[in-house]
Amino acid sequence: MSLELVSIAIPALLVLLLTLGVPIAFATASTGLLIGYILFGGSTFFFVPFRMYDLMNSYVLIAVPLFLFMGYMLEYGGVAHRMFRVIHIWSGHMRGGLAVGTIVAGAILAAMVGVIGAEIVALGLVALPQMLKRGYDRRLSFGVVCAGGSLGQMIPPSVVLILYALMANVPVRDLFLAALVPSGVLVALYIAYVLVRAKLDPGLAPAAPPEELAISSREKLALAKDLVLPLTIIVAVLGSLYGGIATPTEAASIGVFGAIVAAAANRQLTLASIGNALKQTSVTIGMLMWTFFGANAMISVYSRAGGVSYLSELINGLGFGPMQLLLMMMLILLLLGMLIDVIGILILTMPIFLPILSAAGIDLIWFGILFSINMQVSYLTPPFGPAVFYLKAVTPPDTSLSELFRSVWPFVGLQLLALLLVLLFPQLALWLPGVGQQ
Amino acid sequence: MDEGADAPRGPFERAVSTLNKAVGETSGFLYFLVFAICFMEIVLRFFFNAPTTWAFEVTIALCGIQYCLAGGNAHRLGRHIRIDAIYLALPKGLQRIFDVVGELIISIVTASIVYGSGVQALRALSAWQTTGSAFDSPAPTFMKLAIPIGALLILLQSLVKLKRALINLRRGHEK
């Protein structure tokens, strides 16, 4: 088979299998094995497991199950629910305060959990009913929960960022640092949007009635514990990582320790809660790692055939400048984001994009952040918008999927604005890691 | 966290599903061990300036083995990511046919992984491969054994699902 034919046969076979409903893990593995068998014969059967073994030997990858464990532990330990209650009470007197509180809670959760589904369900169960009860505009409330709850993929520690760092061969620490300012930009844009809307049309987000806020300062202070605990965990995890005390893997184990302490402080530390968190971690890892194995099999067969360098030359032949190249990739990612899950996009596109980007002299940390913001959009856009699907599971029964999708458009606009800002001003992402190196 | 309408029936299906549930859930506890080792390592290095020689390779091996073993349980629960936008829009009859074809493909691909990695695992076992580090553990041998075992677990679960899909297909035609 010629390289042209291979380059067509692989995506064609993959699309066919995915259409049949075969999971990405096995669709990619069978594409890789079949094409590999045709090209290289029986040696493919030994070559593919060897690549799996390579992946299993990654030390950085251990951070992924540990961060998942930490996230599930915080969820089962009741930390998320308590934290939102505090933010809710503290932000209640402000017009639009509940919506702002939801975004802030989403961001804090994101810095601890990083499991998108869990976050949106938590916000949907705790924050949404309170906003609706207070008479907040439905669409604004839905949009805030979806956008705020998707931040987990972007704000460190994020599983997607760790996997990207592994594939791009950049330090996790630098990538995490680079994500901080752009995440802040996103959060600030969301909050500004809510405040402007509430100012223009006070009916959208009424302030709390005074009697609801009539709690003593002592009670308010007692609630502080529920906020201090999560913030301490975040500072300990990210601080130990940025301070160079711990590797990403060790920082994750500090996070697990913090999560266990927090659950104990809430009197929700039981063998059952630890067991459930570990079971959840195992299931998520089983999915994640076999998807990684499968995609790795396919990509390594393609790259062994010379396909990756062939594609790079093909794209270089287009004579695109760096900015055109980036715009083209962003467009491809946005389109894929409407159809495929983030992990799927990451492992299918990056082995092809990354060598092209390196050759064009584009900073891979910067690109990682652009990718992350882009994937924020993918959580909200139809037809495949995971954030919206998760929220649908916990909204009142009269809420339609199309109403939910209509609610998130303003936030998609804000995400695209953030993407444009980081694209035009790379320093937003690269300033902090640069400072860290001095 | 259950299989709903596709709950296992018959001794073979029940045995496989029970096995995968047990392996998936029990092996999850390895992460508690991994957490404990990593955390201990920070304390030993930071406060006592006495890092261990073994923490690094032991945690890698434990995690690597768990990655493999967890695949079958994820398949049992249907948690592997699928792109089902098109699949869901198809008529029921066509979905049933796709289920059979898809599961057949998964069985074949996992069987070929069992074969390839099995041969490598036997080679590693007979040579008793070790890491060659100061600690020199047999981690490579165990990790290479985990791949065919993990793939076999998925294969077995896939055969259960294939059987289910075939039964659903036949029932669909009878109606």
Side-chain angles (χ1 to χ4, degrees):
Chain A
M1 268 207 279
S2 71
L3 261 181
E4 285 86 354
L5 194 58
V6 173
S7 305
I8 295 165
I10 287 184
L13 193 56
L14 182 67
V15 169
L16 176 73
L17 291 170
L18 291 174
T19 312
L20 282 173
V22 178
I24 299 181
F26 308 113
T28 49
S30 40
T31 304
L33 280 167
L34 182 66
I35 303 287
Y37 185 72
I38 295 170
L39 292 174
F40 315 114
S43 69
T44 308
F45 293 121
F46 307 111
F47 165 69
V48 165
F50 195 75
R51 294 302 308 249
M52 287 172 63
Y53 177 72
D54 262 359
L55 268 178
M56 286 158 68
N57 266 302
S58 160
Y59 178 66
V60 174
L61 207 53
I62 300 178
V64 174
L66 289 181
F67 276 127
L68 287 173
F69 179 25
M70 167 189 167
Y72 288 125
M73 200 61 232
L74 286 168
E75 196 194 331
Y76 288 115
V79 176
H81 278 61
R82 283 159 184 269
M83 186 194 71
F84 182 75
R85 215 183 50 199
V86 186
I87 293 180
H88 159 220
I89 290 173
W90 286 3
S91 63
H93 62 276
M94 206 164 90
R95 192 181 293 147
L98 275 185
V100 172
T102 305
I103 295 165
V104 172
I108 297 177
L109 272 179
M112 301 190 297
V113 182
V115 187
I116 302 298
E119 259 184 66
I120 291 177
V121 170
L123 291 180
L125 285 175
V126 188
L128 189 65
Q130 289 173 356
M131 284 192 282
L132 295 179
K133 202 171 78 191
R134 177 81 61 79
Y136 271 48
D137 179 61
R138 283 166 68 95
R139 286 199 191 175
L140 186 69
S141 311
F142 294 147
V144 158
V145 170
C146 282
S150 300
L151 287 166
Q153 172 260 322
M154 171 95 199
I155 297 182
S158 133
V159 168
V160 172
L161 286 179
I162 298 173
L163 296 180
Y164 175 87
L166 197 69
M167 299 182 88
N169 206 11
V170 295
V172 172
R173 180 179 169 275
D174 289 0
L175 197 63
F176 277 8
L177 273 173
L180 285 180
V181 175
S183 312
V185 169
L186 262 181
V187 172
L189 284 173
Y190 294 161
I191 292 178
Y193 171 75
V194 168
L195 292 179
V196 168
R197 287 287 308 271
K199 181 93 185 155
L200 293 178
D201 183 356
L204 286 176
E211 65 271 15
E212 197 176 314
L213 297 168
I215 54 169
S216 68
S217 319
R218 188 191 287 170
E219 275 176 284
K220 274 195 179 179
L221 217 57
L223 285 170
K225 181 202 84 181
D226 292 335
L227 196 60
V228 167
L229 223 47
L231 291 176
T232 313
I233 298 175
I234 297 173
V235 170
V237 170
L238 298 182
S240 63
L241 183 62
Y242 299 147
I245 298 166
T247 62
T249 306
E250 289 169 344
S253 74
I254 292 175
V256 173
F257 180 74
I260 291 175
V261 170
N266 290 343
R267 297 177 197 285
Q268 293 196 2
L269 182 68
T270 57
L271 279 179
S273 63
I274 295 180
N276 283 333
L278 288 167
K279 281 178 201 167
Q280 281 296 331
T281 306
S282 167
V283 173
T284 306
I285 283 294
M287 175 277 285
L288 210 58
M289 290 305 166
W290 282 90
T291 307
F292 226 39
F293 288 156
N296 196 259
M298 185 181 78
I299 297 291
S300 58
V301 162
Y302 187 55
S303 105
R304 201 182 184 200
V308 173
S309 39
Y310 164 77
L311 268 191
S312 305
E313 274 166 39
L314 203 70
I315 289 177
N316 286 340
L318 293 172
F320 277 2
M323 198 39 103
Q324 284 162 305
L325 199 62
L326 279 172
L327 284 175
M328 181 186 73
M329 287 182 181
M330 286 299 128
L331 202 64
I332 294 173
L333 291 173
L334 283 174
L335 290 174
L336 288 175
M338 295 180 182
L339 304 170
I340 316 183
D341 173 271
V342 173
I343 300 285
I345 298 175
L346 177 79
I347 55 188
L348 291 177
T349 57
M350 287 309 141
I352 295 169
F353 283 6
L354 291 170
I356 299 171
L357 290 163
S358 298
I362 291 167
D363 190 302
L364 293 187
I365 289 180
W366 177 43
F367 186 77
I369 302 310
L370 291 172
F371 170 74
S372 285
I373 304 175
N374 197 310
M375 289 300 106
Q376 289 287 296
V377 182
S378 85
Y379 282 108
L380 305 185
T381 44
F384 182 75
V388 174
F389 294 165
Y390 286 122
L391 183 60
K392 176 81 178 73
V394 291
T395 45
D398 64 323
T399 323
S400 72
L401 209 52
S402 62
E403 184 186 6
L404 289 178
F405 274 124
R406 275 199 305 274
S407 318
V408 299
W409 281 118
F411 292 90
V412 171
L414 296 172
Q415 291 167 338
L416 291 175
L417 179 61
L419 183 63
L420 193 68
L421 283 174
V422 179
L423 199 60
L424 293 178
F425 306 103
Q427 282 310 310
L428 285 173
L430 297 176
W431 173 68
L432 261 182
V435 170
Q437 269 158 15
Q438 279 157 19
Chain B
M1 292 258 289
D2 65 63
E3 300 100 314
D6 282 329
R9 274 155 246 168
F12 169 69
E13 293 183 30
R14 259 193 228 111
V16 169
S17 294
T18 310
L19 178 69
N20 265 322
K21 184 172 192 289
V23 171
E25 292 184 354
T26 314
S27 65
F29 280 83
L30 289 176
Y31 291 126
F32 195 85
L33 204 59
V34 170
F35 148 66
I37 295 172
C38 286
F39 196 70
M40 181 202 69
E41 180 74 2
I42 307 170
V43 174
L44 284 178
R45 196 186 59 225
F46 196 69
F47 294 104
F48 301 97
N49 201 19
T52 64
T53 52
W54 51 271
F56 183 76
E57 57 190 76
V58 169
T59 48
I60 286 179
L62 290 177
C63 285
I65 291 168
Q66 211 284 331
Y67 302 158
C68 294
L69 298 183
N73 194 36
H75 193 41
R76 177 180 74 89
L77 296 167
R79 287 280 292 271
H80 286 288
I81 313 171
R82 297 162 42 153
I83 297 160
D84 48 14
I86 301 167
Y87 173 87
L88 289 176
L90 296 171
K92 270 272 180 287
L94 209 52
Q95 283 187 358
R96 291 202 187 96
I97 297 171
F98 280 17
D99 286 344
V100 172
V101 177
E103 217 53 62
L104 195 63
I105 291 169
I106 298 176
S107 300
I108 295 170
V109 75
T110 46
S112 65
I113 295 174
V114 171
Y115 161 69
S117 62
V119 170
Q120 284 178 336
L122 290 178
R123 264 187 225 146
L125 193 63
S126 63
W128 197 250
Q129 274 188 13
T130 56
T131 45
S133 64
F135 182 55
D136 205 27
S137 73
T141 303
F142 287 112
M143 287 165 80
K144 284 184 179 174
L145 275 172
I147 303 177
I149 295 172
L152 182 66
L153 287 170
I154 302 176
L155 171 60
L156 289 172
Q157 198 66 52
S158 172
L159 291 174
V160 168
K161 292 202 169 198
L162 181 59
K163 192 181 152 202
R164 260 308 113 212
L166 282 168
I167 292 171
N168 286 341
L169 184 66
R170 205 172 42 200
R171 285 213 186 115
H173 278 300
E174 279 163 9
K175 268 175 204 163

